[in-house]
Structures are given as structure tokens and as C-alpha cells.
């Protein structure tokens, strides 16, 4: 039987410099993202769209969400398969394409590049293969309309 889970977030624009959106340059793209019981994330737009480079933008967070979801599934699958992971780091990269003159666009792909360290007793082939299963099970990856590829590196300690 399917289970339903609900997530909520409150996004509050904090970029009114006094004139609201009276002009394209009259406001900042800064905002706060709040989820119940969790620290507030300060967000903005990508600097290409007049955003603050020191804040996370929605595109950063989408790539990070895909990476984190994959990692969590992968660690679970390794645990269940007897593969002992001692370190995991992903250098994920997303590619977005925009269409002038409106500027609308979409992600065309995200590539996950996890570097996974496993114990000498663990099976490296299983460790590599489980990335495919993690990709197939990741809630976020299953929800997007572009490919999420993975190029893992498995290191035996």
C-alpha cells in the first residue's frame, strides 16, 4: 500500500529595498527558506539573474537534493548488502539550458560523481553496481524529467 508523506516550506522574500518591484534593479532576489523545526536557509537567485553569490539558489539546491538523496539510498543499500562504506563525497554537477529571449529554461542533466571508500573486505563490484539501484530508487531523481547520471569512483581502503 502506498504511503503519502508531506513536506512543507515557507519561502519569504526579503529583498524589498523600499520600492518593491518598481523596476528590475529596484529589488534583490534574497529570500529565506524555512522548514518546520530546521535552520533557515538564506536563498537568492543565481548571480546571472541579479542574485547574491554567497547564498544558495534554487539550482544549487536541486543539484544538492539529487546528490544527497542518491547518497542516502546508496548508504542504505550498501549496509543491507554488507558493503562497508567508510567515506563518501560527491562532486555533483547540473547543466541548465536557457532559451532567449524570454530566458526560460530547464535542466538537461545532472551528473553525480561520488567517490566512495569501502573496506578491503567489501566487494567493489557490488559497491559500484549499487549506484544503479540507488539512482533508480532516489525519490528526487524519480521526480525530475531529465537524466541523472552517475560516475562513481570506488576506492578500497
Amino acid at each position: 500500500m502506498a504511503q503519502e508523506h508531506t513536506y512543507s516550506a515557507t519561502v519569504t522574500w526579503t529583498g524589498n529595498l523600499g520600492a518593491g518591484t518598481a523596476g528590475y534593479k529596484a529589488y534583490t532576489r534574497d529570500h529565506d527558506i524555512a522548514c518546520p523545526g530546521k535552520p533557515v536557509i538564506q536563498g537568492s537567485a543565481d548571480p546571472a539573474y541579479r542574485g547574491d553569490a554567497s547564498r544558495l539558489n534554487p539550482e544549487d539546491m536541486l543539484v544538492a537534493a539529487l546528490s544527497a538523496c542518491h547518497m542516502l539510498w546508496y548508504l542504505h543499500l550498501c549496509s543491507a548488502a554488507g558493503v562497508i562504506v567508510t567515506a563518501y563525497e560527491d562532486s555533483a554537477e547540473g547543466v541548465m539550458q536557457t532559451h532567449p529571449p524570454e530566458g526560460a529554461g530547464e535542466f538537461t542533466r545532472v551528473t553525480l560523481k561520488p567517490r566512495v571508500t569501502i573496506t578491503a573486505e567489501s566487494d567493489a563490484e557490488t559497491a559500484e553496481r549499487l549506484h544503479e539501484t540507488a539512482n533508480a530508487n532516489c525519490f528526487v531523481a524519480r521526480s525530475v524529467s531529465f537524466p541523472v547520471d552517475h560516475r562513481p569512483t570506488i576506492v578500497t581502503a
Side-chain angles (χ1 to χ4, degrees):
M1 174 182 235
Q3 294 181 0
E4 188 174 281
H5 302 270
T6 302
Y7 301 89
S8 63
T10 300
V11 177
T12 305
W13 175 51
T14 59
N16 184 347
L17 299 176
T21 58
Y24 186 70
K25 296 180 180 182
Y27 63 97
T28 74
R29 280 56 179 172
D30 295 354
H31 56 275
D32 289 342
I33 303 164
C35 297
K38 298 173 184 162
V40 172
I41 296 170
Q42 293 184 326
S44 192
D46 183 284
Y49 305 103
R50 300 192 51 78
D52 181 341
S54 70
R55 293 173 173 235
L56 293 172
N57 63 56
E59 295 81 14
D60 293 332
M61 290 187 279
L62 177 60
V63 173
L66 285 161
S67 176
C69 184
H70 181 90
M71 179 194 69
L72 294 169
W73 265 105
Y74 181 77
L75 295 174
H76 163 71
L77 294 166
C78 284
S79 176
V83 174
I84 300 173
V85 175
T86 60
Y88 185 108
E89 183 175 349
D90 186 9
S91 298
E93 182 177 88
V95 176
M96 187 177 74
Q97 185 175 57
T98 57
H99 309 284
E102 302 85 15
E106 65 279 331
F107 273 82
T108 57
R109 74 179 172 278
V110 167
T111 303
L112 307 179
K113 296 175 262 182
R115 180 178 173 82
V116 181
T117 304
I118 60 173
T119 61
E121 300 77 33
S122 297
D123 181 35
E125 287 181 19
T126 301
E128 186 159 345
R129 184 175 35 78
L130 289 175
H131 281 284
E132 294 175 24
T133 307
N135 194 57
N137 288 333
C138 169
F139 307 138
V140 182
R142 292 171 54 92
S143 301
V144 298
S145 62
F146 52 84
V148 179
D149 302 317
H150 54 281
R151 289 190 269 149
T153 301
I154 306 298
V155 178
T156 303

